[in-house]
Amino acid sequence: MVTKKSSKPKRASAADAVAEQLERYRSMRDFRITREPSGGGKLKSLDEQGLPFVIQKHAASHLHYDFRLGWNGVLKSWAVAKGPSYVTRDKRLAVQVEDHPMEYGGFEGIIPKGQYGGGTVMVWDQGTWEPQPGHTDVDEGLRTGSLKFIMHGEKMKGKWALIRMGGKAANERKPNWLLIKEHDEFERGENDPSVTEEEPNSVVTGRSLDEIAKSEDHVWNSKESATGNAWYRNDSPAVKNGASAKSSAAGAKARVAGFGSALRKAPKEKLPDFIAPELALQSETPPPVDEWLRELKTDGY
Ligand code: MN
């Protein structure tokens, strides 16, 4: 008989959507995300998917946007205090920070206070990016401080540039770059609404920072990132102010009770007279390998 190995349920909740997201980024960790060293311009792997980017809105000590481009198996990262602007005259300060592990790009949830980056993290936008024609040597661009690329996101579209500032700033431990919109059909005028105000919420779950903070469904544990247990899912209702596990169990009970009262209101129906059992089916070929486990069935039915 065959059993579905990982039945993928429909997204039941925001927490499920985040879990799916984390899984997707985790799978990217194993690919070398890079281009052929010279010429060709063909992507090695992830070729159909393209190079990933993610922008995480991060309410830490100050609200900022973490701008991350997937490259060579990591997320090259910049902290952009004001977030991106579609006005080509705006030059947004983007402080380059350490490369982040690919998996982190899928994270939306809470980082406990006191840990690096403690606060609330939202996946504000994501998609793919590619170098602009004539600027395809990304490693060179990172070295010389000039990246020109095209973004294919939900909110981030078209041509953008990251330019490292010269002079003293170039030698800082965390180099200062500028994130700049380049002229194209997506640019906006000074009086147009800003993308950060117009679309403030998560591109994955539609939640606001407050909603993410309240639900606490996923927690990132920076201290464990080396062991591969960097995050955990927290399905009990948010427990604040050091309340004990007991009160979270009480919360679960309350939810069940709520379900019961909803059931009582539902119209009563009779059970059907006959429910056909689900029998095994004969087939000539096994189902596709990836999603299924097989075991020999010897009971004759
Ligand atoms: Mn951050």
Side-chain angles (χ1 to χ4, degrees):
M1 76 182 282
V2 286
T3 318
K4 201 125 196 221
K5 202 197 289 176
S6 61
S7 58
K8 270 195 184 161
K10 281 202 194 108
R11 280 181 187 174
S13 66
D16 286 341
V18 173
E20 214 171 89
Q21 177 79 356
L22 278 157
E23 207 40 62
R24 208 161 66 77
Y25 276 82
R26 175 176 271 177
S27 76
M28 287 195 265
R29 177 174 73 168
D30 303 327
F31 291 93
R32 263 184 72 75
I33 299 169
T34 183
R35 293 201 159 222
E36 300 283 2
S38 61
K42 275 207 155 183
L43 296 166
K44 265 184 188 166
S45 53
L46 281 175
D47 37 1
E48 258 88 73
Q49 301 169 52
L51 297 161
F53 86 82
V54 61
I55 300 177
Q56 282 157 315
K57 191 170 170 180
H58 187 183
S61 48
H62 299 283
L63 180 73
H64 60 273
Y65 294 75
D66 289 304
F67 188 97
R68 309 190 196 278
L69 301 176
W71 184 250
N72 282 336
V74 296
L75 293 167
K76 307 302 284 186
S77 298
W78 291 261
V80 186
K82 290 183 174 173
S85 167
Y86 270 100
V87 179
T88 56
R89 273 173 49 185
D90 286 346
K91 296 175 170 58
R92 292 287 159 92
L93 179 63
V95 179
Q96 189 175 7
V97 297
E98 62 271 43
D99 298 343
H100 275 56
M102 192 55 73
E103 184 173 9
Y104 186 71
F107 183 71
E108 177 170 290
I110 302 294
I111 303 175
K113 281 206 182 84
Q115 292 197 14
Y116 174 74
T120 310
V121 179
M122 169 202 290
V123 178
W124 181 75
D125 197 21
Q126 64 174 349
T128 60
W129 70 281
E130 58 179 316
Q132 289 184 29
H135 301 270
T136 52
D137 192 339
V138 174
D139 291 317
E140 168 80 2
L142 284 166
R143 253 193 322 275
T144 59
S146 172
L147 287 177
K148 288 174 178 268
F149 46 94
I150 301 166
M151 303 186 79
H152 309 283
E154 296 284 320
K155 300 170 187 174
M156 298 295 284
K157 294 181 188 296
K159 286 164 31 176
W160 294 80
L162 270 166
I163 306 296
R164 192 166 58 215
M165 291 163 79
K168 212 176 86 194
N171 300 317
E172 305 246 337
R173 194 169 57 86
K174 294 181 172 176
N176 290 347
W177 299 59
L178 298 170
L179 176 65
I180 304 165
K181 178 75 190 102
E182 299 204 313
H183 291 292
D184 64 13
E185 70 268 35
F186 298 109
E187 69 178 83
R188 299 185 188 186
E190 311 260 352
N191 298 320
D192 293 333
S194 76
V195 66
T196 47
E197 279 172 24
E198 198 179 45
E199 301 182 84
N201 295 337
S202 165
V203 71
V204 178
T205 62
R207 296 182 297 181
S208 67
L209 277 171
D210 278 350
E211 287 166 332
I212 295 166
K214 278 193 193 113
S215 77
E216 294 186 4
D217 56 287
H218 280 83
V219 179
W220 188 271
N221 189 358
S222 311
K223 290 169 189 160
E224 296 295 331
S225 52
T227 65
N229 299 313
W231 56 268
Y232 61 90
R233 179 169 169 169
N234 185 10
D235 274 320
S236 58
V239 182
K240 290 267 169 74
N241 304 327
S244 66
K246 240 187 206 168
S247 68
S248 110
K253 256 187 203 160
R255 271 186 304 172
V256 173
F259 187 52
S261 76
L263 265 184
R264 276 195 292 280
K265 283 181 215 144
K268 293 207 165 37
E269 282 181 57
K270 273 200 338 195
L271 273 175
D273 293 322
F274 178 70
I275 300 175
E278 193 170 328
L279 297 172
L281 296 174
Q282 270 194 344
S283 73
E284 297 292 311
T285 52
V289 182
D290 289 352
E291 285 184 20
W292 301 87
L293 289 172
R294 305 205 177 91
E295 63 189 75
L296 200 58
K297 197 167 187 307
T298 52
D299 60 3
Y301 289 94

